[in-house]
Amino acid sequence: MSDSNWTDRIAGERMAVDQRFNEQVKASSFSSQQWGLVMTAVEFEIENPGDPDAARIVADTSKLSSVMPEMERVANQGPMGGPGGDQSGSSGGGLLSGVKDALGLGGSGGGNKQQEEEAARLAQAYAEQLQEKLESNGRWKSVCEQAQG
């Protein structure tokens, strides 16, 4: 699998982008733990690796929906993994809220889609910053060659 090969070789650049990208994560609706979950579901690919001038890193976010239930669970946790003190974030709690959520009518259903869209936008912004980092380091062409196979 040549795609993972190139991603394995850019760990240093990923760490540098992670540090710089932290401010964008803080400005988002995600906690750092939730962003970590997002990043486990995102895979990076290089479109058109044969032409480094036209190539670009894109975030494959097709697996984001698989981490959304866990993201909600993390959001509802308080410090140290216990129940959160303010769980009124989605629709106020209570029996009616539980019934609405079970029927797919509660606030969390739409919130998940919004969060998923926000996560996809952030992941693509991360991909763009990663490409900029690789270009500024003079590694972009070699990374494209590695991605090409």
Side-chain angles (χ1 to χ4, degrees):
M1 198 173 190
S2 62
D3 268 0
S4 67
N5 197 11
W6 73 265
T7 56
D8 291 345
R9 295 182 183 186
I10 60 168
E13 285 85 354
R14 293 264 325 247
M15 288 172 53
V17 171
D18 285 348
Q19 289 175 351
R20 280 195 347 231
F21 203 75
N22 229 5
E23 289 306 310
Q24 284 180 265
V25 172
K26 286 179 185 176
S28 75
S29 68
F30 301 114
S31 68
S32 58
Q33 188 176 6
Q34 287 174 312
W35 179 245
L37 285 168
V38 167
M39 291 303 280
T40 63
V42 173
E43 294 179 15
F44 295 102
E45 301 169 351
I46 296 180
E47 287 182 346
N48 304 314
D51 181 2
D53 293 330
R56 66 182 215 127
I57 298 179
V58 294
D60 176 359
T61 58
S62 62
K63 296 177 184 169
L64 274 177
S65 60
S66 66
V67 297
M68 296 315 290
E70 182 66 11
M71 299 242 319
E72 190 169 324
R73 189 184 70 71
V74 167
N76 289 331
Q77 280 184 343
M80 307 300 286
D86 178 18
Q87 293 185 3
S88 62
S90 61
S91 53
L95 178 63
L96 184 56
S97 174
V99 171
K100 285 172 142 180
D101 286 347
L103 294 172
L105 302 171
S108 62
N112 269 355
K113 192 64 180 162
Q114 283 181 324
Q115 263 199 326
E116 194 172 331
E117 290 169 0
E118 180 184 10
R121 281 191 305 274
L122 275 175
Q124 186 55 46
Y126 180 95
E128 291 164 8
Q129 286 189 25
L130 180 58
Q131 181 172 340
E132 288 172 15
K133 180 71 173 168
L134 290 166
E135 289 171 347
S136 71
N137 283 356
R139 294 199 55 209
W140 181 238
K141 281 186 180 181
S142 67
V143 169
C144 286
E145 289 170 6
Q146 291 167 358
Q148 204 172 0

